[in-house]
Amino acid sequence: MRKNNRKTDDRKMATNLDNLFEIFYTIKTAEGRAPGTLKQYRENYQYFAVFLDKRGIPRNITDITRNTIRDYIRYMQTEVIKYEGHRFKTEAQQTAGLSPSSINTRLKTLRVFFRCLVSEGLLDTNPTHGVTNVPEPQEKITILTPEEMKRLTFRIKGDSQISATMYWVCPNCKICAPGCCSGCGTAG
């Protein structure tokens, strides 16, 4: 009976999002997550906390809904300034909207966070459940033709293994080594 009352007391005390994050962080530390992962959890939670503060949403678990998470996605897509305050990025590079990959990384942290709270019995429903990732554009991969592969294989077989590492992709001849063409700027 006492154990049941304690769980109820824990749930009443655990509505502050910052406190819940610290509980989550302690759990993940105890589970042996890598320091880089833990650092990313904290950074991504701080980004979410800044969003909540800017929107005037209390840092209370009862105020976090699926719509809150979706609004956070829109905020990252349209309002967050990419590279803001970065000393090596020009003003032109500091544009509104994060990349889909960055948004999805931040969402992943929130999913792990809320899923952990549910599994620990500190939350009944996961507000990220049903929220999908932002589609990431697929980069087109240009592959070498059979003739280009043959040329590359021939060049590598003819050279030592050490010099084979000096080949790279060239927009003019596609396979390039130092001094092979003037189009890639390697001709001496």
Side-chain angles (χ1 to χ4, degrees), residues 70-142:
R70 288 184 176 133
D71 189 32
Y72 180 51
I73 293 170
R74 283 191 304 274
Y75 165 80
M76 291 187 286
Q77 290 172 322
T78 60
E79 295 179 41
V80 174
I81 305 299
K82 187 180 350 181
Y83 306 122
E84 186 173 32
H86 195 288
R87 65 184 190 172
F88 298 114
K89 298 294 181 180
T90 65
E91 204 171 299
Q93 291 172 308
Q94 296 180 27
T95 58
L98 297 178
S99 71
S101 175
S102 295
I103 293 169
N104 291 337
T105 298
R106 292 182 185 186
L107 283 176
K108 181 180 178 184
T109 296
L110 292 180
R111 284 190 184 101
V112 172
F113 172 49
F114 290 119
R115 193 171 27 237
C116 176
L117 297 180
V118 170
S119 72
E120 291 292 317
L122 297 170
L123 188 60
D124 291 325
T125 59
N126 181 343
T128 63
H129 182 74
V131 176
T132 59
N133 276 347
V134 175
E136 295 183 38
Q138 298 296 314
E139 294 180 26
K140 183 179 178 189
I141 299 172
T142 305

